[in-house]
Amino acid sequence: MLRPKRILAPTETPVTVEDAKCHLRVSTSEEDALIAGLIDTAVDSFDGRAGILGRCLVWQTWKAWCHGFPCGRSVRLPFPDVDAASVVVRYLDKAATEQTFPASGFNVFEDTSGAYVLRHPEGMWPATCDRPDAVSVEFRAGFGSAAEVPGPLKSAILLLVGHLYENREAVTQGARAGEMPLGAMHLAGPYRVRRL
C-alpha cells in the first residue's frame, strides 16, 4: 500500500483554547495564539499517520492506494474507527479509466488490527491496470466529533500542552529533549493501535 494521504483535515480539535487555558490557569487572552499552536502540536503528536496512537481523533478524511485488489477478499485500511458509510472504493480498470466499486459489494469491519473492507463472498474484485495506485479507498476516520474523543486522550493532550507551555526550550534536566510526559503516555497508552 502506498502512503495514505489526509485529504480533509478535522474542523475542530479535541480540546479548545479555553480548555487549555483552564488547565494552564491562564486568565488573559495575550497568549491565545501560542496556546492554540501548542494544542495543534500536541494533537499532531497523537493523531493520524504520524501520531503515536496510530489512529485519528476527530473525524477526518483519508485516501489510501494499493497496487491492485488483493488475492483474498479484504483490503486493510491504515486506521481503525472508520465510518463505514463514508468508504468509497475506486479502481483504474485495464484501460486506466477510473471506476467505482459498488458499495453494495462490500462491508467494512474492524478487528484488533484496525478496519478493513471485505468484499462479499459471491462477488469478485475487478481487474485493474498495472499501477501502484490502481486501487484507492477514501474513508472518514476518528472517534467522531471533538466531544466524542475519550476523556483520557483529552487529558493527555492537555498534559502535553502544559509541558510545552512550561518548557518552551529543549528539556535538558533529567529528561531528553522532546520527551513525552509520562502521565500523557500513561493516559494515551490504552488507545494506541498495536499492529500485528
Side-chain angles (χ1 to χ4, degrees):
M1 184 171 278
L2 297 177
R3 182 169 62 185
K5 180 179 180 182
R6 186 166 70 179
I7 58 175
L8 188 59
T11 58
E12 55 186 346
T13 56
V15 299
T16 65
V17 170
E18 289 306 313
D19 295 333
K21 285 171 68 173
C22 183
H23 176 77
L24 298 169
R25 295 184 176 92
V26 172
S27 58
T28 67
S29 58
E30 294 170 2
E31 296 186 307
D32 283 7
L34 169 67
I35 293 169
L38 296 178
I39 290 170
D40 290 342
T41 299
V43 169
D44 286 349
S45 296
F46 292 107
D47 185 50
R49 183 179 172 276
I52 63 170
L53 295 178
R55 69 186 332 144
C56 301
L57 299 178
V58 177
W59 284 136
Q60 50 196 274
T61 303
W62 286 76
K63 194 168 188 176
W65 295 266
C66 53
H67 191 270
F69 288 106
C71 295
R73 292 174 43 212
S74 65
V75 176
R76 177 70 55 185
L77 299 178
F79 302 115
D81 314 312
V82 169
D83 173 19
S86 73
V87 175
V88 178
V89 178
R90 295 185 180 93
Y91 64 97
L92 299 174
D93 64 17
K94 286 289 192 180
T97 302
E98 186 176 75
Q99 307 287 343
T100 301
F101 191 78
S104 60
F106 65 86
N107 290 103
V108 178
F109 294 98
E110 190 164 325
D111 59 20
T112 55
S113 296
Y116 59 97
V117 173
L118 184 67
R119 176 184 47 79
H120 292 172
E122 65 277 3
M124 296 291 292
W125 291 125
T128 63
C129 66
D130 186 20
R131 284 179 38 168
D133 61 348
V135 175
S136 69
V137 183
E138 188 174 310
F139 58 94
R140 187 169 75 153
F143 288 104
S145 68
E148 296 171 277
V149 174
L153 291 177
K154 292 181 182 184
S155 294
I157 291 166
L158 290 172
L159 283 174
L160 184 53
V161 168
H163 175 75
L164 295 170
Y165 184 82
E166 291 298 322
N167 300 283
R168 299 183 194 196
E169 303 297 329
V171 178
T172 56
Q173 289 184 333
R176 291 175 294 186
E179 189 172 83
M180 181 81 65
L182 182 60
M185 288 302 295
H186 176 74
L187 290 167
Y191 297 93
R192 192 171 185 177
V193 175
R194 288 163 176 77
R195 306 281 182 211
L196 298 178

